[in-house]
Amino acid sequence: MEPSHAYDDIIDLPHHVSKVHPQMPMLDRAAQFSPFAALTGYDAAIVETARLTDEKRELTEEQQLLLNEKLSLLQQRSKTGVEISAVYFEPDSRKEGGAYRSVRSAVKKVDAQRGVLELQGGLALPFDAIWSLEII
C-alpha cells in the first residue's frame, strides 16, 4: 500500500526525546520567539522627538518694570521669609525650548549680584527666567 500523503509514514511515530541533550526549559524556549528590536533606541528617539516644549516668551517693558519693583520690594523684606508664588521658564536639557513651571515658596534671599531669587528648599530662579511673581 502506497502512502496517500507525504508524511503518512511518520505522522503517528512517538515524539523523539534525546538521551544526550537535556530538554530546553519552557522560558528559554519562549524567548527564542520573542520580537527582535533591530533598531535599539529608535522608540525612545521617536518619543523624544514627539515631546513638545514651549518657547520662552519675552516680557513687555511694563511687565519687566512691575517684576523689577516686586524683586526690589522682596529684597527689602527678604529677612522676613516672605512667601511668593511664581511662574518661571525652565529650559529643556535635551532640546530647544523648555517648560513653564509654578512654584509657591518662602524667599530665602534676593541676590541682585548674581541676578537670582533664592527660595526655601534650594530652588534658585534667575531673574530673566521669571515670567510672573506674586507676593502672598
Side-chain angles (χ1 to χ4, degrees), residues 42-101:
Y42 182 72
D43 289 337
I46 294 293
V47 168
E48 178 60 25
T49 302
R51 188 172 57 85
L52 299 176
T53 57
D54 293 323
E55 287 185 33
K56 185 176 179 185
R57 299 174 287 204
E58 296 298 322
L59 295 173
T60 64
E61 282 187 44
E62 186 178 311
Q63 290 171 314
Q64 187 64 53
L65 286 172
L66 186 59
L67 181 61
N68 288 342
E69 287 176 19
K70 290 178 182 179
L71 288 169
S72 178
L73 181 62
L74 281 174
Q75 191 170 20
Q76 295 167 11
R77 297 174 46 192
S78 65
K79 301 212 187 311
T80 62
V82 178
E83 190 166 323
I84 57 108
S85 174
V87 175
Y88 64 97
F89 182 78
E90 181 178 58
D92 195 295
S93 61
R94 293 190 213 141
K95 61 195 288 188
E96 197 170 315
Y100 281 91
R101 309 264 186 233

Tab-separated table of all heavy atoms in Angstrom, residues 42-101:
chain	number	residue	atom	x	y	z
A	42	TYR	N	15.394	53.278	18.979
A	42	TYR	CA	14.583	54.000	17.991
A	42	TYR	C	13.278	54.487	18.602
A	42	TYR	O	12.885	55.636	18.398
A	42	TYR	CB	14.309	53.095	16.788
A	42	TYR	CG	13.512	53.760	15.698
A	42	TYR	CD1	14.080	54.742	14.897
A	42	TYR	CD2	12.186	53.411	15.476
A	42	TYR	CE1	13.352	55.363	13.894
A	42	TYR	CE2	11.448	54.025	14.467
A	42	TYR	CZ	12.045	54.997	13.687
A	42	TYR	OH	11.315	55.608	12.708
A	43	ASP	N	12.615	53.621	19.380
A	43	ASP	CA	11.348	54.017	20.015
A	43	ASP	C	11.551	55.206	20.953
A	43	ASP	O	10.745	56.129	20.984
A	43	ASP	CB	10.732	52.840	20.775
A	43	ASP	CG	10.197	51.765	19.839
A	43	ASP	OD1	9.900	52.098	18.673
A	43	ASP	OD2	10.091	50.610	20.279
A	44	ALA	N	12.646	55.187	21.714
A	44	ALA	CA	12.929	56.302	22.631
A	44	ALA	C	13.186	57.589	21.861
A	44	ALA	O	12.769	58.666	22.284
A	44	ALA	CB	14.126	55.963	23.513
A	45	ALA	N	13.855	57.483	20.717
A	45	ALA	CA	14.125	58.663	19.892
A	45	ALA	C	12.831	59.243	19.330
A	45	ALA	O	12.667	60.466	19.259
A	45	ALA	CB	15.082	58.311	18.756
A	46	ILE	N	11.911	58.387	18.949
A	46	ILE	CA	10.615	58.845	18.432
A	46	ILE	C	9.838	59.569	19.526
A	46	ILE	O	9.269	60.642	19.310
A	46	ILE	CB	9.783	57.654	17.892
A	46	ILE	CG1	10.451	57.050	16.661
A	46	ILE	CG2	8.357	58.054	17.587
A	46	ILE	CD1	10.467	57.944	15.454
A	47	VAL	N	9.822	59.001	20.732
A	47	VAL	CA	9.109	59.622	21.864
A	47	VAL	C	9.730	60.980	22.185
A	47	VAL	O	9.022	61.961	22.420
A	47	VAL	CB	9.129	58.688	23.090
A	47	VAL	CG1	8.661	59.405	24.332
A	47	VAL	CG2	8.278	57.463	22.826
A	48	GLU	N	11.071	61.057	22.182
A	48	GLU	CA	11.756	62.313	22.493
A	48	GLU	C	11.450	63.375	21.436
A	48	GLU	O	11.221	64.535	21.754
A	48	GLU	CB	13.271	62.079	22.577
A	48	GLU	CG	14.085	63.319	22.834
A	48	GLU	CD	13.773	64.045	24.128
A	48	GLU	OE1	13.272	63.418	25.081
A	48	GLU	OE2	14.015	65.258	24.193
A	49	THR	N	11.415	62.988	20.176
A	49	THR	CA	11.110	63.931	19.100
A	49	THR	C	9.680	64.440	19.212
A	49	THR	O	9.409	65.618	18.960
A	49	THR	CB	11.324	63.262	17.722
A	49	THR	OG1	12.677	62.804	17.663
A	49	THR	CG2	11.063	64.221	16.594
A	50	ALA	N	8.774	63.573	19.620
A	50	ALA	CA	7.365	63.954	19.726
A	50	ALA	C	7.072	64.794	20.964
A	50	ALA	O	6.046	65.467	21.027
A	50	ALA	CB	6.491	62.704	19.746
A	51	ARG	N	7.983	64.776	21.956
A	51	ARG	CA	7.763	65.536	23.189
A	51	ARG	C	7.802	67.029	22.886
A	51	ARG	O	8.715	67.529	22.261
A	51	ARG	CB	8.848	65.183	24.213
A	51	ARG	CG	8.624	65.765	25.584
A	51	ARG	CD	9.637	65.214	26.572
A	51	ARG	NE	11.001	65.438	26.177
A	51	ARG	CZ	11.694	66.553	26.427
A	51	ARG	NH1	11.119	67.541	27.088
A	51	ARG	NH2	12.942	66.672	26.042
A	52	LEU	N	6.758	67.726	23.291
A	52	LEU	CA	6.625	69.147	22.993
A	52	LEU	C	7.284	70.004	24.067
A	52	LEU	O	7.254	69.679	25.249
A	52	LEU	CB	5.150	69.525	22.873
A	52	LEU	CG	4.369	68.827	21.767
A	52	LEU	CD1	2.904	69.219	21.833
A	52	LEU	CD2	4.949	69.134	20.408
A	53	THR	N	7.862	71.103	23.628
A	53	THR	CA	8.409	72.087	24.552
A	53	THR	C	7.801	73.449	24.211
A	53	THR	O	7.304	73.659	23.106
A	53	THR	CB	9.945	72.187	24.426
A	53	THR	OG1	10.280	72.503	23.087
A	53	THR	CG2	10.621	70.897	24.840
A	54	ASP	N	7.855	74.358	25.175
A	54	ASP	CA	7.360	75.720	24.960
A	54	ASP	C	8.527	76.629	24.598
A	54	ASP	O	9.655	76.400	25.021
A	54	ASP	CB	6.708	76.270	26.237
A	54	ASP	CG	5.437	75.532	26.610
A	54	ASP	OD1	4.697	75.154	25.687
A	54	ASP	OD2	5.196	75.339	27.812
A	55	GLU	N	8.232	77.663	23.843
A	55	GLU	CA	9.230	78.691	23.576
A	55	GLU	C	9.190	79.693	24.716
A	55	GLU	O	8.130	79.965	25.279
A	55	GLU	CB	8.929	79.409	22.263
A	55	GLU	CG	9.209	78.580	21.041
A	55	GLU	CD	9.017	79.383	19.767
A	55	GLU	OE1	9.280	80.612	19.771
A	55	GLU	OE2	8.597	78.772	18.785
A	56	LYS	N	10.347	80.248	25.038
A	56	LYS	CA	10.403	81.262	26.092
A	56	LYS	C	9.804	82.559	25.560
A	56	LYS	O	10.177	83.049	24.502
A	56	LYS	CB	11.844	81.499	26.536
A	56	LYS	CG	11.941	82.435	27.707
A	56	LYS	CD	13.368	82.577	28.176
A	56	LYS	CE	13.411	83.541	29.348
A	56	LYS	NZ	14.781	83.802	29.765
A	57	ARG	N	8.844	83.103	26.312
A	57	ARG	CA	8.192	84.354	25.929
A	57	ARG	C	8.949	85.527	26.550
A	57	ARG	O	9.488	85.412	27.648
A	57	ARG	CB	6.739	84.360	26.416
A	57	ARG	CG	5.919	83.235	25.813
A	57	ARG	CD	4.546	83.188	26.418
A	57	ARG	NE	4.672	82.663	27.785
A	57	ARG	CZ	3.695	82.065	28.450
A	57	ARG	NH1	2.502	81.968	27.921
A	57	ARG	NH2	3.873	81.607	29.657
A	58	GLU	N	8.965	86.626	25.845
A	58	GLU	CA	9.632	87.828	26.345
A	58	GLU	C	8.617	88.706	27.074
A	58	GLU	O	7.477	88.839	26.645
A	58	GLU	CB	10.260	88.612	25.189
A	58	GLU	CG	11.376	87.866	24.469
A	58	GLU	CD	12.557	87.547	25.347
A	58	GLU	OE1	12.928	88.385	26.205
A	58	GLU	OE2	13.123	86.446	25.198
A	59	LEU	N	9.071	89.303	28.170
A	59	LEU	CA	8.219	90.229	28.922
A	59	LEU	C	8.151	91.569	28.198
A	59	LEU	O	9.135	92.007	27.594
A	59	LEU	CB	8.782	90.453	30.325
A	59	LEU	CG	8.803	89.259	31.273
A	59	LEU	CD1	9.543	89.618	32.553
A	59	LEU	CD2	7.394	88.810	31.605
A	60	THR	N	6.997	92.220	28.307
A	60	THR	CA	6.890	93.578	27.779
A	60	THR	C	7.630	94.507	28.741
A	60	THR	O	7.964	94.113	29.872
A	60	THR	CB	5.415	94.023	27.678
A	60	THR	OG1	4.857	94.069	29.000
A	60	THR	CG2	4.614	93.078	26.787
A	61	GLU	N	7.882	95.716	28.330
A	61	GLU	CA	8.571	96.681	29.209
A	61	GLU	C	7.782	96.897	30.494
A	61	GLU	O	8.351	96.996	31.578
A	61	GLU	CB	8.776	98.015	28.482
A	61	GLU	CG	9.908	97.993	27.504
A	61	GLU	CD	10.174	99.372	26.937
A	61	GLU	OE1	10.187	100.362	27.697
A	61	GLU	OE2	10.364	99.443	25.710
A	62	GLU	N	6.474	96.974	30.359
A	62	GLU	CA	5.609	97.193	31.522
A	62	GLU	C	5.699	96.005	32.497
A	62	GLU	O	5.819	96.208	33.708
A	62	GLU	CB	4.164	97.381	31.052
A	62	GLU	CG	3.196	97.756	32.155
A	62	GLU	CD	1.792	97.983	31.616
A	62	GLU	OE1	1.640	98.716	30.623
A	62	GLU	OE2	0.854	97.419	32.211
A	63	GLN	N	5.653	94.793	31.950
A	63	GLN	CA	5.774	93.602	32.799
A	63	GLN	C	7.139	93.548	33.480
A	63	GLN	O	7.246	93.192	34.650
A	63	GLN	CB	5.571	92.325	31.974
A	63	GLN	CG	4.160	92.102	31.490
A	63	GLN	CD	4.081	90.936	30.510
A	63	GLN	OE1	4.889	90.816	29.599
A	63	GLN	NE2	3.080	90.089	30.703
A	64	GLN	N	8.191	93.935	32.752
A	64	GLN	CA	9.550	93.914	33.298
A	64	GLN	C	9.686	94.929	34.438
A	64	GLN	O	10.290	94.637	35.470
A	64	GLN	CB	10.575	94.209	32.198
A	64	GLN	CG	12.018	94.036	32.627
A	64	GLN	CD	12.360	92.606	32.986
A	64	GLN	OE1	12.122	91.706	32.207
A	64	GLN	NE2	12.904	92.399	34.168
A	65	LEU	N	9.101	96.130	34.262
A	65	LEU	CA	9.148	97.146	35.324
A	65	LEU	C	8.426	96.671	36.579
A	65	LEU	O	8.912	96.840	37.699
A	65	LEU	CB	8.541	98.462	34.829
A	65	LEU	CG	9.389	99.269	33.852
A	65	LEU	CD1	8.588	100.440	33.283
A	65	LEU	CD2	10.642	99.765	34.543
A	66	LEU	N	7.258	96.058	36.395
A	66	LEU	CA	6.485	95.545	37.523
A	66	LEU	C	7.255	94.431	38.243
A	66	LEU	O	7.305	94.400	39.479
A	66	LEU	CB	5.130	95.027	37.026
A	66	LEU	CG	4.130	94.585	38.081
A	66	LEU	CD1	3.794	95.727	39.030
A	66	LEU	CD2	2.862	94.072	37.422
A	67	LEU	N	7.883	93.546	37.482
A	67	LEU	CA	8.673	92.470	38.074
A	67	LEU	C	9.861	93.035	38.851
A	67	LEU	O	10.151	92.601	39.969
A	67	LEU	CB	9.155	91.512	36.979
A	67	LEU	CG	9.984	90.317	37.433
A	67	LEU	CD1	9.199	89.426	38.392
A	67	LEU	CD2	10.451	89.509	36.238
A	68	ASN	N	10.527	94.038	38.283
A	68	ASN	CA	11.661	94.666	38.971
A	68	ASN	C	11.232	95.320	40.281
A	68	ASN	O	11.957	95.259	41.284
A	68	ASN	CB	12.340	95.696	38.066
A	68	ASN	CG	13.111	95.039	36.937
A	68	ASN	OD1	13.432	93.854	36.987
A	68	ASN	ND2	13.387	95.820	35.895
A	69	GLU	N	10.058	95.953	40.294
A	69	GLU	CA	9.532	96.564	41.525
A	69	GLU	C	9.289	95.499	42.588
A	69	GLU	O	9.627	95.677	43.761
A	69	GLU	CB	8.231	97.316	41.237
A	69	GLU	CG	8.401	98.607	40.486
A	69	GLU	CD	7.062	99.258	40.142
A	69	GLU	OE1	6.033	98.916	40.773
A	69	GLU	OE2	7.045	100.104	39.231
A	70	LYS	N	8.710	94.384	42.186
A	70	LYS	CA	8.424	93.304	43.143
A	70	LYS	C	9.716	92.691	43.681
A	70	LYS	O	9.818	92.390	44.863
A	70	LYS	CB	7.555	92.227	42.487
A	70	LYS	CG	6.141	92.688	42.219
A	70	LYS	CD	5.335	91.622	41.522
A	70	LYS	CE	3.927	92.113	41.207
A	70	LYS	NZ	3.122	91.104	40.499
A	71	LEU	N	10.713	92.528	42.818
A	71	LEU	CA	12.001	91.989	43.260
A	71	LEU	C	12.684	92.954	44.223
A	71	LEU	O	13.285	92.539	45.221
A	71	LEU	CB	12.905	91.688	42.062
A	71	LEU	CG	12.518	90.484	41.216
A	71	LEU	CD1	13.309	90.445	39.927
A	71	LEU	CD2	12.697	89.194	42.001
A	72	SER	N	12.578	94.244	43.947
A	72	SER	CA	13.153	95.261	44.831
A	72	SER	C	12.462	95.231	46.194
A	72	SER	O	13.113	95.301	47.243
A	72	SER	CB	13.025	96.634	44.189
A	72	SER	OG	13.533	97.622	45.031
A	73	LEU	N	11.141	95.122	46.173
A	73	LEU	CA	10.377	95.032	47.415
A	73	LEU	C	10.769	93.786	48.203
A	73	LEU	O	10.950	93.838	49.424
A	73	LEU	CB	8.880	95.025	47.106
A	73	LEU	CG	7.925	94.966	48.288
A	73	LEU	CD1	8.084	96.192	49.184
A	73	LEU	CD2	6.494	94.846	47.812
A	74	LEU	N	10.933	92.658	47.499
A	74	LEU	CA	11.350	91.423	48.160
A	74	LEU	C	12.740	91.553	48.756
A	74	LEU	O	13.012	91.023	49.834
A	74	LEU	CB	11.334	90.244	47.175
A	74	LEU	CG	9.989	89.638	46.872
A	74	LEU	CD1	10.113	88.589	45.773
A	74	LEU	CD2	9.373	89.014	48.115
A	75	GLN	N	13.620	92.251	48.067
A	75	GLN	CA	14.982	92.428	48.568
A	75	GLN	C	14.968	93.210	49.882
A	75	GLN	O	15.723	92.913	50.791
A	75	GLN	CB	15.837	93.135	47.524
A	75	GLN	CG	17.305	93.134	47.852
A	75	GLN	CD	18.147	93.633	46.696
A	75	GLN	OE1	17.651	94.310	45.801
A	75	GLN	NE2	19.415	93.296	46.711
A	76	GLN	N	14.070	94.182	49.995
A	76	GLN	CA	13.956	94.969	51.219
A	76	GLN	C	13.355	94.143	52.353
A	76	GLN	O	13.696	94.330	53.513
A	76	GLN	CB	13.100	96.208	50.976
A	76	GLN	CG	13.708	97.189	50.012
A	76	GLN	CD	12.699	98.238	49.558
A	76	GLN	OE1	11.619	98.358	50.109
A	76	GLN	NE2	13.065	98.993	48.527
A	77	ARG	N	12.440	93.210	52.021
A	77	ARG	CA	11.714	92.439	53.043
A	77	ARG	C	12.183	90.990	53.144
A	77	ARG	O	11.548	90.188	53.817
A	77	ARG	CB	10.221	92.433	52.704
A	77	ARG	CG	9.606	93.814	52.719
A	77	ARG	CD	8.177	93.816	52.246
A	77	ARG	NE	7.354	92.768	52.826
A	77	ARG	CZ	6.145	92.445	52.396
A	77	ARG	NH1	5.616	93.083	51.375
A	77	ARG	NH2	5.449	91.494	52.967
A	78	SER	N	13.274	90.610	52.500
A	78	SER	CA	13.659	89.204	52.411
A	78	SER	C	14.008	88.573	53.755
A	78	SER	O	13.959	87.375	53.903
A	78	SER	CB	14.824	89.018	51.439
A	78	SER	OG	15.982	89.668	51.922
A	79	LYS	N	14.342	89.364	54.733
A	79	LYS	CA	14.685	88.803	56.037
A	79	LYS	C	13.467	88.253	56.771
A	79	LYS	O	13.589	87.497	57.708
A	79	LYS	CB	15.378	89.863	56.890
A	79	LYS	CG	16.648	90.396	56.255
A	79	LYS	CD	17.640	90.769	57.303
A	79	LYS	CE	18.855	91.447	56.780
A	79	LYS	NZ	19.551	90.907	55.682
A	80	THR	N	12.263	88.607	56.330
A	80	THR	CA	11.049	88.155	56.995
A	80	THR	C	10.548	86.816	56.460
A	80	THR	O	9.583	86.280	56.962
A	80	THR	CB	9.922	89.203	56.842
A	80	THR	OG1	9.619	89.354	55.464
A	80	THR	CG2	10.318	90.519	57.456
A	81	GLY	N	11.165	86.251	55.421
A	81	GLY	CA	10.706	84.976	54.846
A	81	GLY	C	9.384	85.125	54.126
A	81	GLY	O	8.483	84.310	54.286
A	82	VAL	N	9.263	86.158	53.335
A	82	VAL	CA	8.035	86.442	52.591
A	82	VAL	C	7.729	85.280	51.654
A	82	VAL	O	8.605	84.748	50.981
A	82	VAL	CB	8.189	87.750	51.769
A	82	VAL	CG1	6.949	88.026	50.953
A	82	VAL	CG2	8.514	88.902	52.689
A	83	GLU	N	6.449	84.905	51.597
A	83	GLU	CA	6.050	83.827	50.695
A	83	GLU	C	5.626	84.416	49.354
A	83	GLU	O	4.966	85.446	49.291
A	83	GLU	CB	4.903	83.013	51.301
A	83	GLU	CG	4.635	81.746	50.520
A	83	GLU	CD	3.752	80.763	51.269
A	83	GLU	OE1	3.881	80.644	52.499
A	83	GLU	OE2	2.932	80.133	50.595
A	84	ILE	N	6.033	83.718	48.282
A	84	ILE	CA	5.705	84.174	46.930
A	84	ILE	C	5.115	83.024	46.118
A	84	ILE	O	5.249	81.852	46.464
A	84	ILE	CB	6.949	84.735	46.199
A	84	ILE	CG1	8.090	83.702	46.134
A	84	ILE	CG2	7.452	85.993	46.850
A	84	ILE	CD1	8.306	83.134	44.784
A	85	SER	N	4.469	83.406	45.046
A	85	SER	CA	4.003	82.462	44.041
A	85	SER	C	4.588	82.957	42.721
A	85	SER	O	4.434	84.124	42.383
A	85	SER	CB	2.476	82.451	43.994
A	85	SER	OG	2.026	81.637	42.937
A	86	ALA	N	5.287	82.073	42.018
A	86	ALA	CA	5.955	82.499	40.786
A	86	ALA	C	5.737	81.497	39.657
A	86	ALA	O	5.559	80.303	39.896
A	86	ALA	CB	7.446	82.678	41.035
A	87	VAL	N	5.765	82.011	38.450
A	87	VAL	CA	5.789	81.183	37.244
A	87	VAL	C	7.116	81.510	36.575
A	87	VAL	O	7.444	82.682	36.376
A	87	VAL	CB	4.606	81.492	36.302
A	87	VAL	CG1	4.734	80.702	35.005
A	87	VAL	CG2	3.282	81.196	36.990
A	88	TYR	N	7.881	80.472	36.261
A	88	TYR	CA	9.198	80.677	35.663
A	88	TYR	C	9.416	79.698	34.511
A	88	TYR	O	8.755	78.673	34.404
A	88	TYR	CB	10.303	80.523	36.720
A	88	TYR	CG	10.405	79.130	37.307
A	88	TYR	CD1	11.347	78.224	36.811
A	88	TYR	CD2	9.571	78.717	38.337
A	88	TYR	CE1	11.440	76.946	37.330
A	88	TYR	CE2	9.667	77.448	38.862
A	88	TYR	CZ	10.606	76.572	38.350
A	88	TYR	OH	10.691	75.297	38.866
A	89	PHE	N	10.364	80.048	33.650
A	89	PHE	CA	10.696	79.224	32.492
A	89	PHE	C	11.898	78.357	32.833
A	89	PHE	O	12.930	78.858	33.273
A	89	PHE	CB	11.006	80.106	31.285
A	89	PHE	CG	11.301	79.324	30.032
A	89	PHE	CD1	10.270	78.763	29.300
A	89	PHE	CD2	12.600	79.146	29.600
A	89	PHE	CE1	10.526	78.039	28.140
A	89	PHE	CE2	12.869	78.431	28.443
A	89	PHE	CZ	11.838	77.872	27.713
A	90	GLU	N	11.745	77.054	32.613
A	90	GLU	CA	12.846	76.115	32.842
A	90	GLU	C	13.285	75.557	31.488
A	90	GLU	O	12.521	74.842	30.836
A	90	GLU	CB	12.390	74.985	33.761
A	90	GLU	CG	13.466	73.988	34.080
A	90	GLU	CD	12.967	72.926	35.044
A	90	GLU	OE1	11.979	72.241	34.718
A	90	GLU	OE2	13.579	72.784	36.114
A	91	PRO	N	14.503	75.871	31.042
A	91	PRO	CA	14.970	75.367	29.744
A	91	PRO	C	15.076	73.840	29.747
A	91	PRO	O	15.386	73.232	30.771
A	91	PRO	CB	16.359	75.992	29.574
A	91	PRO	CG	16.437	77.075	30.575
A	91	PRO	CD	15.484	76.734	31.677
A	92	ASP	N	14.802	73.238	28.608
A	92	ASP	CA	14.905	71.786	28.455
A	92	ASP	C	16.371	71.427	28.270
A	92	ASP	O	17.095	72.091	27.532
A	92	ASP	CB	14.089	71.337	27.235
A	92	ASP	CG	13.854	69.847	27.239
A	92	ASP	OD1	14.838	69.099	27.131
A	92	ASP	OD2	12.691	69.425	27.339
A	93	SER	N	16.811	70.369	28.917
A	93	SER	CA	18.220	69.977	28.833
A	93	SER	C	18.543	69.210	27.551
A	93	SER	O	19.696	69.080	27.183
A	93	SER	CB	18.601	69.124	30.046
A	93	SER	OG	17.807	67.950	30.068
A	94	ARG	N	17.534	68.694	26.855
A	94	ARG	CA	17.787	67.859	25.683
A	94	ARG	C	17.448	68.499	24.344
A	94	ARG	O	17.945	68.062	23.322
A	94	ARG	CB	16.989	66.559	25.798
A	94	ARG	CG	17.463	65.694	26.922
A	94	ARG	CD	16.804	64.344	26.838
A	94	ARG	NE	16.616	63.854	28.185
A	94	ARG	CZ	15.581	63.199	28.611
A	94	ARG	NH1	14.596	62.923	27.803
A	94	ARG	NH2	15.502	62.801	29.848
A	95	LYS	N	16.569	69.478	24.351
A	95	LYS	CA	16.182	70.081	23.081
A	95	LYS	C	15.838	71.544	23.269
A	95	LYS	O	15.750	72.024	24.396
A	95	LYS	CB	15.033	69.304	22.430
A	95	LYS	CG	13.753	69.250	23.244
A	95	LYS	CD	12.784	68.202	22.777
A	95	LYS	CE	12.111	68.488	21.489
A	95	LYS	NZ	11.044	67.551	21.151
A	96	GLU	N	15.634	72.242	22.174
A	96	GLU	CA	15.343	73.663	22.229
A	96	GLU	C	13.981	73.900	22.882
A	96	GLU	O	13.050	73.129	22.708
A	96	GLU	CB	15.331	74.218	20.800
A	96	GLU	CG	15.449	75.713	20.756
A	96	GLU	CD	15.676	76.215	19.339
A	96	GLU	OE1	16.513	75.625	18.638
A	96	GLU	OE2	14.998	77.188	18.971
A	97	GLY	N	13.901	74.981	23.634
A	97	GLY	CA	12.654	75.309	24.328
A	97	GLY	C	12.726	74.900	25.788
A	97	GLY	O	13.799	74.773	26.363
A	98	GLY	N	11.572	74.696	26.379
A	98	GLY	CA	11.502	74.333	27.788
A	98	GLY	C	10.067	74.261	28.241
A	98	GLY	O	9.172	74.030	27.438
A	99	ALA	N	9.858	74.505	29.540
A	99	ALA	CA	8.513	74.436	30.110
A	99	ALA	C	8.345	75.529	31.161
A	99	ALA	O	9.299	75.914	31.829
A	99	ALA	CB	8.284	73.072	30.736
A	100	TYR	N	7.115	75.996	31.288
A	100	TYR	CA	6.790	76.953	32.334
A	100	TYR	C	6.346	76.180	33.563
A	100	TYR	O	5.521	75.280	33.484
A	100	TYR	CB	5.703	77.935	31.877
A	100	TYR	CG	6.282	79.008	30.989
A	100	TYR	CD1	6.333	78.844	29.611
A	100	TYR	CD2	6.812	80.161	31.543
A	100	TYR	CE1	6.901	79.811	28.804
A	100	TYR	CE2	7.375	81.142	30.743
A	100	TYR	CZ	7.422	80.959	29.370
A	100	TYR	OH	7.990	81.918	28.579
A	101	ARG	N	6.942	76.505	34.700
A	101	ARG	CA	6.659	75.833	35.965
A	101	ARG	C	6.130	76.854	36.967
A	101	ARG	O	6.448	78.036	36.903
A	101	ARG	CB	7.930	75.204	36.548
A	101	ARG	CG	8.701	74.342	35.578
A	101	ARG	CD	8.330	72.910	35.758
A	101	ARG	NE	9.191	72.086	34.927
A	101	ARG	CZ	8.736	71.209	34.071
A	101	ARG	NH1	7.455	71.022	33.933
A	101	ARG	NH2	9.557	70.487	33.349
